[in-house]
Amino acid sequence: MPKGIKAALYADDLVIWCKEEHASTATYRMQQAADRLNAWAEDWCVSINKEKSSTTLFTLSPKQKAGTIRLGGTPLREDEEATYLGVTFDRRQTWKPHIAQAETKARRKLAILRKLAGTTWGANEKILKTVYQGTIRPHLEYGSTAWSTSAKTNLQTLDRVQNQALRLITGAMKSTPIKEMEKLTTIQPLCQRRGAKTMVQAEKLKCLPDHPMKHRLSNLTKNRLKRSSFVHESKRLSRQYREVLPQNTLPLTQEEEETPKATEKPGIQICTSVPHVTSGEDQNDTARQALTLALIDEQYPKEAWIHVYTDGSATNAVLNGGAGILIQFPGGHTATFSVATGKHCTNYKAEAEALMQAASFVQDSADPCYQVVFLSDALSVLQALENDKLPQLAKALQMVRQTRRVVLQWIPAHCGIPGNERADELAKEGAVEDQPENSVSFSEQKTIIQALMRPRTNRDDYHTMSREQQVNLIRLRTGHNRLNAHMNRKFKLTPSPTCACGQEDQTAEHILQRCPLLDEERKEVWPLPTPLQTKLYGSRQELEKTTTFITSAGLIV
């Protein structure tokens, strides 16, 4: 290509561009590139579709005019917008056309949610949320690292689509605060997700040693008076999260020579399940504990096996990692270890580090027992080990295999298995020790960024209720409902906010706790005094009582 010309090719889509101070110079450069491209096509008998080929001049100046560029003597049409890989670029890089197209596609898909549920029938919140995240939100986020610096008014059009989807998912009234619906559904605001994607992309570019953007992201950047850019936005976010994000990310390099899988080595076995133990809510902790302990006693009797329980822990899953190790030897004696795994550490890394440290301790042990079983609740780590994603851990286990038979057995977490509970305590102790500064890989940095942005989830039996019950509960919880108090103050649709009893405003608290007209129905459902918090946020049984009361009282909320 001529000087200053750059190109990108994806399948049969080719884009050629150059950056110059004057449009005339850019036209000259691009014409040279077009001539060379045409000559190459003729030499190799390749046909270029000139009707689909076009040119676009990107400039903020209205005075700059693009010249005509010819391909094989045919003048190419000049477009105001150019679309490449589904992203629409307009002349002034406002991204307004692309965002408008994304909004149109997403609103078309919103019809799916309307067909799936109403306020008294249809799919529950979990199903509707899955449909939204799988079919609608991708349209609102595609290519967002490029256009996330668009004007606030443009981005708000996409936010309104998500807000409408939240109302359809929850069945909440239009006046319900957006933050309440986001908190209940744990759906992040689009601005936070765009920020996370920008930070991840910036970190990836920094980790590529030869990428041209690495220099711009790492060094000082010129300020802009009106418009931001990807570089400015990524640096702003980095400053905002400086206290919690690692500052040293390891460069991305080619994959090291593959280490043979641990499962292919004789004497090493990885078991990622316990017979008859399920991960669903239909099996309680007592059953899981009994089945797991029975498996350990039968297959790994403590008289003939070294039992090694490992666990990892990190604050908020991304900070101050700790590894806990409990080793039970056949002779009856035990050894415990707590290890700090780094200031910036994920749960996954802490779990893997716990297994590595345990392998080292077992290798150094002088106990004559030749069989050792590592009991870990880190299913993702064991699966990664099976798929050869943890070469260092595989090497550590292979060192142990040279003198002992090695088995890695998954066990369910937090179901009362004594060894696992003790390892968890040790991991938490390791997490509060002095943490060394540590570098992280790009994948770990990505996990940390996503975890920082991800909303915290709390157990709420609301999510297990039927559609009608969920709609009633969210309206009672938020106070945005069809009761007189809200309908009068917000919409002026009732003459008075007062309840029919004449004593107080008709609010959720009034009808659930004090309304004398509903005393009989209330005592039938709650024979004993019950706090409002329990009625609205209690167990599934308590929530069902609340919805039953609303139905029996003939109230429409």
mmCIF file with all atom_site columns, all heavy atoms in Angstrom, residues 279-300:
data_model
loop_
_atom_site.group_PDB
_atom_site.id
_atom_site.type_symbol
_atom_site.label_atom_id
_atom_site.label_alt_id
_atom_site.label_comp_id
_atom_site.label_asym_id
_atom_site.label_entity_id
_atom_site.label_seq_id
_atom_site.pdbx_PDB_ins_code
_atom_site.Cartn_x
_atom_site.Cartn_y
_atom_site.Cartn_z
_atom_site.occupancy
_atom_site.B_iso_or_equiv
_atom_site.pdbx_formal_charge
_atom_site.auth_seq_id
_atom_site.auth_comp_id
_atom_site.auth_asym_id
_atom_site.auth_atom_id
_atom_site.pdbx_PDB_model_num
ATOM 1   N N   . SER A 1 279 ? -27.023 -29.802 41.369 1.00 0.00 ? 279 SER A N   1
ATOM 2   C CA  . SER A 1 279 ? -26.767 -28.396 41.687 1.00 0.00 ? 279 SER A CA  1
ATOM 3   C C   . SER A 1 279 ? -28.046 -27.589 41.834 1.00 0.00 ? 279 SER A C   1
ATOM 4   O O   . SER A 1 279 ? -28.006 -26.415 42.163 1.00 0.00 ? 279 SER A O   1
ATOM 5   C CB  . SER A 1 279 ? -25.899 -27.764 40.588 1.00 0.00 ? 279 SER A CB  1
ATOM 6   O OG  . SER A 1 279 ? -26.541 -27.876 39.329 1.00 0.00 ? 279 SER A OG  1
ATOM 7   N N   . GLY A 1 280 ? -29.181 -28.203 41.559 1.00 0.00 ? 280 GLY A N   1
ATOM 8   C CA  . GLY A 1 280 ? -30.439 -27.479 41.639 1.00 0.00 ? 280 GLY A CA  1
ATOM 9   C C   . GLY A 1 280 ? -30.908 -27.287 43.066 1.00 0.00 ? 280 GLY A C   1
ATOM 10  O O   . GLY A 1 280 ? -30.352 -27.835 44.027 1.00 0.00 ? 280 GLY A O   1
ATOM 11  N N   . GLU A 1 281 ? -31.969 -26.489 43.213 1.00 0.00 ? 281 GLU A N   1
ATOM 12  C CA  . GLU A 1 281 ? -32.504 -26.197 44.537 1.00 0.00 ? 281 GLU A CA  1
ATOM 13  C C   . GLU A 1 281 ? -33.383 -27.327 45.071 1.00 0.00 ? 281 GLU A C   1
ATOM 14  O O   . GLU A 1 281 ? -33.879 -27.246 46.191 1.00 0.00 ? 281 GLU A O   1
ATOM 15  C CB  . GLU A 1 281 ? -33.313 -24.896 44.488 1.00 0.00 ? 281 GLU A CB  1
ATOM 16  C CG  . GLU A 1 281 ? -32.467 -23.673 44.136 1.00 0.00 ? 281 GLU A CG  1
ATOM 17  C CD  . GLU A 1 281 ? -33.283 -22.403 44.121 1.00 0.00 ? 281 GLU A CD  1
ATOM 18  O OE1 . GLU A 1 281 ? -34.520 -22.506 44.304 1.00 0.00 ? 281 GLU A OE1 1
ATOM 19  O OE2 . GLU A 1 281 ? -32.702 -21.321 43.929 1.00 0.00 ? 281 GLU A OE2 1
ATOM 20  N N   . ASP A 1 282 ? -33.578 -28.374 44.254 1.00 0.00 ? 282 ASP A N   1
ATOM 21  C CA  . ASP A 1 282 ? -34.433 -29.463 44.694 1.00 0.00 ? 282 ASP A CA  1
ATOM 22  C C   . ASP A 1 282 ? -33.731 -30.396 45.676 1.00 0.00 ? 282 ASP A C   1
ATOM 23  O O   . ASP A 1 282 ? -34.354 -31.297 46.235 1.00 0.00 ? 282 ASP A O   1
ATOM 24  C CB  . ASP A 1 282 ? -34.920 -30.269 43.484 1.00 0.00 ? 282 ASP A CB  1
ATOM 25  C CG  . ASP A 1 282 ? -33.763 -30.784 42.640 1.00 0.00 ? 282 ASP A CG  1
ATOM 26  O OD1 . ASP A 1 282 ? -32.694 -30.154 42.677 1.00 0.00 ? 282 ASP A OD1 1
ATOM 27  O OD2 . ASP A 1 282 ? -33.946 -31.801 41.938 1.00 0.00 ? 282 ASP A OD2 1
ATOM 28  N N   . GLN A 1 283 ? -32.431 -30.183 45.912 1.00 0.00 ? 283 GLN A N   1
ATOM 29  C CA  . GLN A 1 283 ? -31.676 -31.031 46.835 1.00 0.00 ? 283 GLN A CA  1
ATOM 30  C C   . GLN A 1 283 ? -31.104 -30.160 47.947 1.00 0.00 ? 283 GLN A C   1
ATOM 31  O O   . GLN A 1 283 ? -30.398 -29.187 47.687 1.00 0.00 ? 283 GLN A O   1
ATOM 32  C CB  . GLN A 1 283 ? -30.549 -31.748 46.092 1.00 0.00 ? 283 GLN A CB  1
ATOM 33  C CG  . GLN A 1 283 ? -29.890 -32.864 46.888 1.00 0.00 ? 283 GLN A CG  1
ATOM 34  C CD  . GLN A 1 283 ? -28.890 -33.629 46.044 1.00 0.00 ? 283 GLN A CD  1
ATOM 35  O OE1 . GLN A 1 283 ? -27.948 -33.048 45.509 1.00 0.00 ? 283 GLN A OE1 1
ATOM 36  N NE2 . GLN A 1 283 ? -29.096 -34.930 45.908 1.00 0.00 ? 283 GLN A NE2 1
ATOM 37  N N   . ASN A 1 284 ? -31.396 -30.514 49.192 1.00 0.00 ? 284 ASN A N   1
ATOM 38  C CA  . ASN A 1 284 ? -30.947 -29.675 50.299 1.00 0.00 ? 284 ASN A CA  1
ATOM 39  C C   . ASN A 1 284 ? -29.504 -29.991 50.684 1.00 0.00 ? 284 ASN A C   1
ATOM 40  O O   . ASN A 1 284 ? -28.905 -30.968 50.228 1.00 0.00 ? 284 ASN A O   1
ATOM 41  C CB  . ASN A 1 284 ? -31.880 -29.829 51.511 1.00 0.00 ? 284 ASN A CB  1
ATOM 42  C CG  . ASN A 1 284 ? -31.976 -31.274 51.985 1.00 0.00 ? 284 ASN A CG  1
ATOM 43  O OD1 . ASN A 1 284 ? -30.984 -32.001 51.989 1.00 0.00 ? 284 ASN A OD1 1
ATOM 44  N ND2 . ASN A 1 284 ? -33.171 -31.683 52.393 1.00 0.00 ? 284 ASN A ND2 1
ATOM 45  N N   . ASP A 1 285 ? -28.958 -29.149 51.552 1.00 0.00 ? 285 ASP A N   1
ATOM 46  C CA  . ASP A 1 285 ? -27.554 -29.287 51.943 1.00 0.00 ? 285 ASP A CA  1
ATOM 47  C C   . ASP A 1 285 ? -27.293 -30.576 52.716 1.00 0.00 ? 285 ASP A C   1
ATOM 48  O O   . ASP A 1 285 ? -26.210 -31.163 52.606 1.00 0.00 ? 285 ASP A O   1
ATOM 49  C CB  . ASP A 1 285 ? -27.134 -28.081 52.791 1.00 0.00 ? 285 ASP A CB  1
ATOM 50  C CG  . ASP A 1 285 ? -27.060 -26.808 51.973 1.00 0.00 ? 285 ASP A CG  1
ATOM 51  O OD1 . ASP A 1 285 ? -27.006 -26.910 50.732 1.00 0.00 ? 285 ASP A OD1 1
ATOM 52  O OD2 . ASP A 1 285 ? -27.055 -25.711 52.567 1.00 0.00 ? 285 ASP A OD2 1
ATOM 53  N N   . THR A 1 286 ? -28.262 -31.012 53.494 1.00 0.00 ? 286 THR A N   1
ATOM 54  C CA  . THR A 1 286 ? -28.065 -32.238 54.278 1.00 0.00 ? 286 THR A CA  1
ATOM 55  C C   . THR A 1 286 ? -27.862 -33.439 53.367 1.00 0.00 ? 286 THR A C   1
ATOM 56  O O   . THR A 1 286 ? -26.988 -34.288 53.615 1.00 0.00 ? 286 THR A O   1
ATOM 57  C CB  . THR A 1 286 ? -29.274 -32.470 55.197 1.00 0.00 ? 286 THR A CB  1
ATOM 58  O OG1 . THR A 1 286 ? -29.459 -31.327 56.036 1.00 0.00 ? 286 THR A OG1 1
ATOM 59  C CG2 . THR A 1 286 ? -29.065 -33.698 56.064 1.00 0.00 ? 286 THR A CG2 1
ATOM 60  N N   . ALA A 1 287 ? -28.651 -33.514 52.297 1.00 0.00 ? 287 ALA A N   1
ATOM 61  C CA  . ALA A 1 287 ? -28.510 -34.629 51.356 1.00 0.00 ? 287 ALA A CA  1
ATOM 62  C C   . ALA A 1 287 ? -27.168 -34.568 50.639 1.00 0.00 ? 287 ALA A C   1
ATOM 63  O O   . ALA A 1 287 ? -26.490 -35.592 50.461 1.00 0.00 ? 287 ALA A O   1
ATOM 64  C CB  . ALA A 1 287 ? -29.659 -34.604 50.350 1.00 0.00 ? 287 ALA A CB  1
ATOM 65  N N   . ARG A 1 288 ? -26.749 -33.377 50.240 1.00 0.00 ? 288 ARG A N   1
ATOM 66  C CA  . ARG A 1 288 ? -25.458 -33.237 49.563 1.00 0.00 ? 288 ARG A CA  1
ATOM 67  C C   . ARG A 1 288 ? -24.310 -33.639 50.489 1.00 0.00 ? 288 ARG A C   1
ATOM 68  O O   . ARG A 1 288 ? -23.359 -34.305 50.070 1.00 0.00 ? 288 ARG A O   1
ATOM 69  C CB  . ARG A 1 288 ? -25.270 -31.794 49.097 1.00 0.00 ? 288 ARG A CB  1
ATOM 70  C CG  . ARG A 1 288 ? -26.246 -31.354 48.021 1.00 0.00 ? 288 ARG A CG  1
ATOM 71  C CD  . ARG A 1 288 ? -25.999 -29.914 47.641 1.00 0.00 ? 288 ARG A CD  1
ATOM 72  N NE  . ARG A 1 288 ? -27.038 -29.413 46.750 1.00 0.00 ? 288 ARG A NE  1
ATOM 73  C CZ  . ARG A 1 288 ? -27.127 -28.168 46.325 1.00 0.00 ? 288 ARG A CZ  1
ATOM 74  N NH1 . ARG A 1 288 ? -26.223 -27.284 46.717 1.00 0.00 ? 288 ARG A NH1 1
ATOM 75  N NH2 . ARG A 1 288 ? -28.095 -27.796 45.518 1.00 0.00 ? 288 ARG A NH2 1
ATOM 76  N N   . GLN A 1 289 ? -24.413 -33.213 51.728 1.00 0.00 ? 289 GLN A N   1
ATOM 77  C CA  . GLN A 1 289 ? -23.367 -33.555 52.693 1.00 0.00 ? 289 GLN A CA  1
ATOM 78  C C   . GLN A 1 289 ? -23.269 -35.065 52.890 1.00 0.00 ? 289 GLN A C   1
ATOM 79  O O   . GLN A 1 289 ? -22.178 -35.638 52.853 1.00 0.00 ? 289 GLN A O   1
ATOM 80  C CB  . GLN A 1 289 ? -23.655 -32.876 54.033 1.00 0.00 ? 289 GLN A CB  1
ATOM 81  C CG  . GLN A 1 289 ? -22.637 -33.208 55.118 1.00 0.00 ? 289 GLN A CG  1
ATOM 82  C CD  . GLN A 1 289 ? -23.126 -32.799 56.495 1.00 0.00 ? 289 GLN A CD  1
ATOM 83  O OE1 . GLN A 1 289 ? -24.318 -32.903 56.781 1.00 0.00 ? 289 GLN A OE1 1
ATOM 84  N NE2 . GLN A 1 289 ? -22.220 -32.341 57.339 1.00 0.00 ? 289 GLN A NE2 1
ATOM 85  N N   . ALA A 1 290 ? -24.416 -35.715 53.065 1.00 0.00 ? 290 ALA A N   1
ATOM 86  C CA  . ALA A 1 290 ? -24.414 -37.158 53.312 1.00 0.00 ? 290 ALA A CA  1
ATOM 87  C C   . ALA A 1 290 ? -23.858 -37.923 52.112 1.00 0.00 ? 290 ALA A C   1
ATOM 88  O O   . ALA A 1 290 ? -23.047 -38.851 52.271 1.00 0.00 ? 290 ALA A O   1
ATOM 89  C CB  . ALA A 1 290 ? -25.831 -37.625 53.634 1.00 0.00 ? 290 ALA A CB  1
ATOM 90  N N   . LEU A 1 291 ? -24.267 -37.544 50.906 1.00 0.00 ? 291 LEU A N   1
ATOM 91  C CA  . LEU A 1 291 ? -23.794 -38.237 49.707 1.00 0.00 ? 291 LEU A CA  1
ATOM 92  C C   . LEU A 1 291 ? -22.292 -38.033 49.505 1.00 0.00 ? 291 LEU A C   1
ATOM 93  O O   . LEU A 1 291 ? -21.569 -38.961 49.117 1.00 0.00 ? 291 LEU A O   1
ATOM 94  C CB  . LEU A 1 291 ? -24.564 -37.736 48.487 1.00 0.00 ? 291 LEU A CB  1
ATOM 95  C CG  . LEU A 1 291 ? -26.039 -38.142 48.405 1.00 0.00 ? 291 LEU A CG  1
ATOM 96  C CD1 . LEU A 1 291 ? -26.753 -37.353 47.315 1.00 0.00 ? 291 LEU A CD1 1
ATOM 97  C CD2 . LEU A 1 291 ? -26.163 -39.640 48.138 1.00 0.00 ? 291 LEU A CD2 1
ATOM 98  N N   . THR A 1 292 ? -21.816 -36.830 49.772 1.00 0.00 ? 292 THR A N   1
ATOM 99  C CA  . THR A 1 292 ? -20.391 -36.545 49.570 1.00 0.00 ? 292 THR A CA  1
ATOM 100 C C   . THR A 1 292 ? -19.525 -37.269 50.593 1.00 0.00 ? 292 THR A C   1
ATOM 101 O O   . THR A 1 292 ? -18.492 -37.865 50.247 1.00 0.00 ? 292 THR A O   1
ATOM 102 C CB  . THR A 1 292 ? -20.140 -35.029 49.648 1.00 0.00 ? 292 THR A CB  1
ATOM 103 O OG1 . THR A 1 292 ? -20.983 -34.359 48.703 1.00 0.00 ? 292 THR A OG1 1
ATOM 104 C CG2 . THR A 1 292 ? -18.693 -34.705 49.334 1.00 0.00 ? 292 THR A CG2 1
ATOM 105 N N   . LEU A 1 293 ? -19.928 -37.230 51.852 1.00 0.00 ? 293 LEU A N   1
ATOM 106 C CA  . LEU A 1 293 ? -19.152 -37.918 52.886 1.00 0.00 ? 293 LEU A CA  1
ATOM 107 C C   . LEU A 1 293 ? -19.136 -39.430 52.651 1.00 0.00 ? 293 LEU A C   1
ATOM 108 O O   . LEU A 1 293 ? -18.120 -40.098 52.905 1.00 0.00 ? 293 LEU A O   1
ATOM 109 C CB  . LEU A 1 293 ? -19.725 -37.597 54.265 1.00 0.00 ? 293 LEU A CB  1
ATOM 110 C CG  . LEU A 1 293 ? -19.545 -36.144 54.736 1.00 0.00 ? 293 LEU A CG  1
ATOM 111 C CD1 . LEU A 1 293 ? -20.223 -35.932 56.082 1.00 0.00 ? 293 LEU A CD1 1
ATOM 112 C CD2 . LEU A 1 293 ? -18.065 -35.788 54.831 1.00 0.00 ? 293 LEU A CD2 1
ATOM 113 N N   . ALA A 1 294 ? -20.261 -39.958 52.154 1.00 0.00 ? 294 ALA A N   1
ATOM 114 C CA  . ALA A 1 294 ? -20.300 -41.394 51.849 1.00 0.00 ? 294 ALA A CA  1
ATOM 115 C C   . ALA A 1 294 ? -19.318 -41.735 50.731 1.00 0.00 ? 294 ALA A C   1
ATOM 116 O O   . ALA A 1 294 ? -18.618 -42.755 50.783 1.00 0.00 ? 294 ALA A O   1
ATOM 117 C CB  . ALA A 1 294 ? -21.718 -41.802 51.461 1.00 0.00 ? 294 ALA A CB  1
ATOM 118 N N   . LEU A 1 295 ? -19.251 -40.864 49.717 1.00 0.00 ? 295 LEU A N   1
ATOM 119 C CA  . LEU A 1 295 ? -18.304 -41.089 48.619 1.00 0.00 ? 295 LEU A CA  1
ATOM 120 C C   . LEU A 1 295 ? -16.864 -41.059 49.122 1.00 0.00 ? 295 LEU A C   1
ATOM 121 O O   . LEU A 1 295 ? -16.045 -41.916 48.758 1.00 0.00 ? 295 LEU A O   1
ATOM 122 C CB  . LEU A 1 295 ? -18.503 -40.017 47.545 1.00 0.00 ? 295 LEU A CB  1
ATOM 123 C CG  . LEU A 1 295 ? -17.447 -40.013 46.432 1.00 0.00 ? 295 LEU A CG  1
ATOM 124 C CD1 . LEU A 1 295 ? -17.676 -41.181 45.481 1.00 0.00 ? 295 LEU A CD1 1
ATOM 125 C CD2 . LEU A 1 295 ? -17.461 -38.691 45.670 1.00 0.00 ? 295 LEU A CD2 1
ATOM 126 N N   . ILE A 1 296 ? -16.553 -40.084 49.969 1.00 0.00 ? 296 ILE A N   1
ATOM 127 C CA  . ILE A 1 296 ? -15.183 -39.969 50.483 1.00 0.00 ? 296 ILE A CA  1
ATOM 128 C C   . ILE A 1 296 ? -14.810 -41.197 51.310 1.00 0.00 ? 296 ILE A C   1
ATOM 129 O O   . ILE A 1 296 ? -13.710 -41.748 51.181 1.00 0.00 ? 296 ILE A O   1
ATOM 130 C CB  . ILE A 1 296 ? -15.042 -38.673 51.310 1.00 0.00 ? 296 ILE A CB  1
ATOM 131 C CG1 . ILE A 1 296 ? -15.227 -37.446 50.404 1.00 0.00 ? 296 ILE A CG1 1
ATOM 132 C CG2 . ILE A 1 296 ? -13.683 -38.614 52.001 1.00 0.00 ? 296 ILE A CG2 1
ATOM 133 C CD1 . ILE A 1 296 ? -15.262 -36.126 51.152 1.00 0.00 ? 296 ILE A CD1 1
ATOM 134 N N   . ASP A 1 297 ? -15.738 -41.644 52.157 1.00 0.00 ? 297 ASP A N   1
ATOM 135 C CA  . ASP A 1 297 ? -15.451 -42.811 53.000 1.00 0.00 ? 297 ASP A CA  1
ATOM 136 C C   . ASP A 1 297 ? -15.267 -44.083 52.175 1.00 0.00 ? 297 ASP A C   1
ATOM 137 O O   . ASP A 1 297 ? -14.435 -44.933 52.504 1.00 0.00 ? 297 ASP A O   1
ATOM 138 C CB  . ASP A 1 297 ? -16.583 -43.013 54.012 1.00 0.00 ? 297 ASP A CB  1
ATOM 139 C CG  . ASP A 1 297 ? -16.602 -41.916 55.071 1.00 0.00 ? 297 ASP A CG  1
ATOM 140 O OD1 . ASP A 1 297 ? -15.547 -41.268 55.255 1.00 0.00 ? 297 ASP A OD1 1
ATOM 141 O OD2 . ASP A 1 297 ? -17.659 -41.700 55.693 1.00 0.00 ? 297 ASP A OD2 1
ATOM 142 N N   . GLU A 1 298 ? -16.049 -44.217 51.101 1.00 0.00 ? 298 GLU A N   1
ATOM 143 C CA  . GLU A 1 298 ? -15.989 -45.442 50.304 1.00 0.00 ? 298 GLU A CA  1
ATOM 144 C C   . GLU A 1 298 ? -14.786 -45.472 49.363 1.00 0.00 ? 298 GLU A C   1
ATOM 145 O O   . GLU A 1 298 ? -14.076 -46.475 49.275 1.00 0.00 ? 298 GLU A O   1
ATOM 146 C CB  . GLU A 1 298 ? -17.280 -45.594 49.496 1.00 0.00 ? 298 GLU A CB  1
ATOM 147 C CG  . GLU A 1 298 ? -18.512 -45.872 50.349 1.00 0.00 ? 298 GLU A CG  1
ATOM 148 C CD  . GLU A 1 298 ? -19.784 -45.892 49.530 1.00 0.00 ? 298 GLU A CD  1
ATOM 149 O OE1 . GLU A 1 298 ? -19.674 -45.820 48.277 1.00 0.00 ? 298 GLU A OE1 1
ATOM 150 O OE2 . GLU A 1 298 ? -20.877 -45.963 50.117 1.00 0.00 ? 298 GLU A OE2 1
ATOM 151 N N   . GLN A 1 299 ? -14.576 -44.364 48.652 1.00 0.00 ? 299 GLN A N   1
ATOM 152 C CA  . GLN A 1 299 ? -13.536 -44.372 47.624 1.00 0.00 ? 299 GLN A CA  1
ATOM 153 C C   . GLN A 1 299 ? -12.174 -43.903 48.133 1.00 0.00 ? 299 GLN A C   1
ATOM 154 O O   . GLN A 1 299 ? -11.143 -44.284 47.581 1.00 0.00 ? 299 GLN A O   1
ATOM 155 C CB  . GLN A 1 299 ? -13.970 -43.497 46.441 1.00 0.00 ? 299 GLN A CB  1
ATOM 156 C CG  . GLN A 1 299 ? -15.189 -44.033 45.713 1.00 0.00 ? 299 GLN A CG  1
ATOM 157 C CD  . GLN A 1 299 ? -15.385 -43.354 44.366 1.00 0.00 ? 299 GLN A CD  1
ATOM 158 O OE1 . GLN A 1 299 ? -14.511 -42.646 43.882 1.00 0.00 ? 299 GLN A OE1 1
ATOM 159 N NE2 . GLN A 1 299 ? -16.539 -43.577 43.750 1.00 0.00 ? 299 GLN A NE2 1
ATOM 160 N N   . TYR A 1 300 ? -12.183 -43.054 49.162 1.00 0.00 ? 300 TYR A N   1
ATOM 161 C CA  . TYR A 1 300 ? -10.913 -42.529 49.667 1.00 0.00 ? 300 TYR A CA  1
ATOM 162 C C   . TYR A 1 300 ? -10.857 -42.701 51.189 1.00 0.00 ? 300 TYR A C   1
ATOM 163 O O   . TYR A 1 300 ? -10.872 -41.713 51.942 1.00 0.00 ? 300 TYR A O   1
ATOM 164 C CB  . TYR A 1 300 ? -10.760 -41.043 49.302 1.00 0.00 ? 300 TYR A CB  1
ATOM 165 C CG  . TYR A 1 300 ? -11.173 -40.709 47.892 1.00 0.00 ? 300 TYR A CG  1
ATOM 166 C CD1 . TYR A 1 300 ? -12.348 -39.992 47.638 1.00 0.00 ? 300 TYR A CD1 1
ATOM 167 C CD2 . TYR A 1 300 ? -10.404 -41.114 46.806 1.00 0.00 ? 300 TYR A CD2 1
ATOM 168 C CE1 . TYR A 1 300 ? -12.734 -39.686 46.346 1.00 0.00 ? 300 TYR A CE1 1
ATOM 169 C CE2 . TYR A 1 300 ? -10.788 -40.808 45.505 1.00 0.00 ? 300 TYR A CE2 1
ATOM 170 C CZ  . TYR A 1 300 ? -11.956 -40.102 45.284 1.00 0.00 ? 300 TYR A CZ  1
ATOM 171 O OH  . TYR A 1 300 ? -12.339 -39.804 43.999 1.00 0.00 ? 300 TYR A OH  1
#
